[in-house]
Amino acid sequence: MMSEMSVMGVMKAIVPITRFNKGEANRIFEEVEASGTKIVMKNNKPACVLMSPGKYESLMEMLSDYILQEEAEARMERFDPSETMSRQEVMESLGITDADLDDVEVEIE
């Protein structure tokens, strides 16, 4: 990851929009597959970032994990053990017995 942040890494990742206009899209996509990321420049400003679907999916998973972790930490800050109920207390409050659950199939992914 450090090489991607280096000046040379950024310079190699830059693709002028004119390369697309010259019909080099297939070659650029091959470069993305090989290097992982390209920054498309239009009028000397970043216009978009090209990356492989795998890298995009990985980034989205990391973002989702981060958001879930932040939510979990916020909930733990508000956690009060005195407000919890045991499994048995929950079952009794809902009028459910263990026998009621014997024929229930649960699929966990």
Side-chain angles (χ1 to χ4, degrees), residues 12-27:
K12 288 179 181 179
I14 292 175
V15 176
I17 193 81
T18 55
R19 284 191 59 199
F20 282 95
N21 297 338
K22 294 177 182 177
E24 294 184 36
N26 282 337
R27 187 166 192 188

Side-chain angles (χ1 to χ4, degrees), residues 7 20 35 44 47 52 55 65-66 69 80-81 84 89-90 100:
V7 173
F20 282 95
S35 68
N44 294 322
S52 70
K55 184 164 183 118
D65 290 346
Y66 174 78
Q69 180 179 348
D80 181 357
T84 63
E89 290 170 325
V90 171
D100 294 332

Side-chain angles (χ1 to χ4, degrees), residues 31-58:
E31 291 171 14
V32 168
E33 189 174 330
S35 68
T37 306
K38 290 291 182 186
I39 303 166
V40 180
M41 303 294 285
K42 183 177 180 180
N43 298 325
N44 294 322
K45 294 180 183 175
C48 71
V49 176
L50 300 175
M51 66 182 67
S52 70
K55 184 164 183 118
Y56 177 79
E57 184 177 332
S58 175

